[in-house]
């Protein structure tokens, strides 16, 4: 039976490229979602068996709201992939860069190509819901005056011409994608070296340092730490933390110690790096 995999975007987007790399050996159908909220909602309601969700980029930073969506829908992280991201400027095949009056793309892609775009001072830069959606829009509307920032796969999918390749500001540009599942479909694995969790802190002196000291004591490396304010509770925050470790027993000791001092500690994923 085919798996249903939810992604944000459409054919040719980086979510689809990541999905192809992750699930090349299985049969699946893609569910195209317009927003991250829709993606996580579909996974939570079993409309999709799993989802592929962008969580951070090496240039543009962390999509902190996506961590919050994982918490909101009580989802679990089962795997991750770091995908190299190469952006390209695309136009219709019989158009010319001199004709272009506007360039459209996803806001994260625009941010990642900021230096390149700065040379086109007379061209308007506008946001689209997705890189591949931007490419599709040009193709469908046969618009000779709009360019799109998207993948080379999107250029092929929508029969567009690549004006410039690899226009991202930093050549080593990676996006980290998480594979998320409904909590009821999540199966624990016995061997893993990464974990993601969140906890809530009240505005008490030294509470955060106590937790960080426990993590450090057990030789566990924090690879990411993000804060998210709790609505209707001024000065209280959720902390989302990713950690990596070499000794799995130390990880279990760490969890036990943190649970003693924080009753709002929740693991959202234990997975292989």
């Amino acid at each position: 039976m085919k798996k249903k995999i939810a992604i944000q975007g459409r054919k040719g987007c980086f979510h689809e490229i990541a999905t192809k790399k992750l699930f090349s050996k299985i049969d699946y159908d893609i569910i195209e979602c317009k927003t991250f909220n829709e993606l996580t909602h579909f996974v939570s309601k079993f409309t999709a068996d799993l989802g592929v969700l962008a969580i951070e980029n090496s240039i543009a930073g962390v999509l902190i709201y996506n961590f919050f969506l994982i918490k909101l829908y009580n989802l679990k992280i089962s795997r991750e992939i770091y995908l190299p991201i190469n952006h390209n400027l695309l136009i219709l095949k019989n158009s010319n860069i001199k004709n272009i009056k506007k360039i459209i793309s996803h806001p994260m892609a625009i941010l990642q190509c900021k230096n390149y775009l700065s040379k086109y001072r007379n061209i308007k830069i506008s946001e689209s819901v997705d890189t591949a959606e931007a490419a599709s829009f040009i193709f469908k509307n046969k618009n000779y005056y709009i360019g799109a920032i998207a993948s080379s796969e999107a250029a092929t999918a929508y029969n567009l011409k690549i004006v410039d390749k690899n226009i991202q500001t930093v050549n080593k540009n990676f996006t980290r994608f998480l594979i998320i599942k409904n909590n009821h479909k999540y199966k624990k694995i016995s061997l893993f070296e990464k974990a993601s969790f969140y906890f809530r802190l009240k505005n008490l002196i030294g509470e955060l340092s106590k937790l960080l000291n426990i993590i450090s004591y057990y030789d566990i490396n924090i690879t990411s730490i993000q804060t998210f304010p709790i609505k209707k509770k001024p000065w209280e925050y959720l902390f989302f933390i990713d950690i990596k470790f070499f000794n799995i027993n130390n990880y279990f000791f760490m969890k036990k110690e943190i649970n003693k001092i924080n009753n709002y500690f929740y693991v959202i994923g234990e997975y292989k790096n």
Side-chain angles (χ1 to χ4, degrees):
M1 187 175 177
K2 284 186 178 182
K3 283 194 177 295
K4 294 179 180 179
I5 302 177
I7 64 169
Q8 190 272 318
R10 59 188 305 160
K11 186 177 181 180
C13 72
F14 291 106
H15 276 79
E16 189 207 25
I17 297 168
T19 303
K20 285 181 177 179
K21 287 183 178 293
L22 282 161
F23 302 105
S24 60
K25 296 181 180 179
I26 70 167
D27 202 11
Y28 62 85
D29 286 324
I30 290 285
I31 299 176
E32 297 175 353
C33 303
K34 291 183 178 179
T35 65
F36 293 123
N37 205 320
E38 186 178 46
L39 189 164
T40 47
H41 177 75
F42 281 172
V43 176
S44 72
K45 296 298 182 183
F46 299 103
T47 305
D49 296 298
L50 52 93
V52 177
L53 179 73
I55 201 68
E56 65 178 309
N57 176 264
S58 56
I59 298 174
V62 175
L63 294 161
I64 180 63
Y65 189 68
N66 286 359
F67 273 120
F68 180 75
L69 287 173
I70 292 171
K71 174 192 175 296
L72 179 67
Y73 289 111
N74 194 26
L75 305 176
K76 290 283 192 178
I77 302 166
S78 65
R79 198 174 168 191
E80 68 176 358
I81 182 175
Y82 289 82
L83 182 75
I85 304 295
N86 295 310
H87 291 299
N88 311 276
L89 179 60
L90 314 181
I91 61 175
L92 285 174
K93 284 190 173 179
N94 50 354
S95 184
N96 188 290
I97 187 62
K98 293 178 181 178
N99 300 329
I100 302 304
K101 300 185 184 301
K102 183 164 72 170
I103 294 173
I104 58 176
S105 194
H106 189 277
M108 289 291 280
I110 291 170
L111 187 60
Q112 292 164 34
C113 302
K114 196 172 181 181
N115 286 3
Y116 174 84
L117 293 172
S118 66
K119 72 180 184 179
Y120 292 114
R121 296 180 184 273
N122 296 324
I123 295 178
K124 183 180 179 181
I125 310 299
S126 296
E127 295 182 357
S128 173
V129 295
D130 178 57
T131 54
E133 179 68 34
S136 173
F137 177 83
I138 296 171
F139 173 72
K140 284 181 178 179
N141 292 278
K142 298 294 184 283
N143 196 308
Y144 297 94
Y145 305 102
I146 298 180
I149 296 172
S151 67
S152 57
E153 286 85 351
T156 301
Y158 303 108
N159 197 31
L160 300 177
K161 175 170 65 176
I162 298 178
V163 177
D164 282 319
K165 294 182 178 181
N166 301 331
I167 64 172
Q168 63 273 5
T169 301
V170 180
N171 284 331
K172 291 183 178 179
N173 179 28
F174 292 85
T175 292
R176 177 186 174 211
F177 292 87
L178 303 176
I179 291 73
I180 54 173
K181 292 184 177 181
N182 187 292
N183 189 37
H184 297 291
K185 285 192 173 184
Y186 180 73
K187 293 180 181 178
K188 287 187 176 182
I189 57 175
S190 56
L191 294 175
F192 53 91
E193 61 278 330
K194 282 199 78 173
S196 299
F197 56 87
Y198 64 82
F199 53 80
R200 184 171 69 195
L201 287 185
K202 295 181 180 179
N203 191 21
L204 298 175
I205 294 173
E207 190 174 5
L208 178 59
S209 63
K210 288 178 185 177
L211 288 162
L212 296 181
N213 283 337
I214 291 171
I215 296 170
S216 175
Y217 178 80
Y218 287 105
D219 294 322
I220 291 171
N221 183 36
I222 296 174
T223 57
S224 174
I225 181 167
Q226 309 296 326
T227 60
F228 198 92
I230 300 173
K231 290 182 179 180
K232 299 181 181 179
K233 293 190 177 182
W235 317 121
E236 290 191 25
Y237 298 88
L238 284 174
F239 283 75
F240 293 92
I241 292 185
D242 292 326
I243 58 173
K244 187 178 179 182
F245 43 87
F246 297 101
N247 187 325
I248 198 167
N249 289 324
N250 281 2
Y251 168 71
F252 291 126
F253 287 136
M254 178 214 75
K255 281 208 303 182
K256 186 177 181 180
E257 290 300 314
I258 290 178
N259 275 314
K260 287 180 182 177
I261 64 171
N262 189 293
N263 58 5
Y264 199 86
F265 170 80
Y266 186 78
V267 176
I268 53 177
E270 295 169 337
Y271 47 97
K272 287 185 175 292
N273 181 222

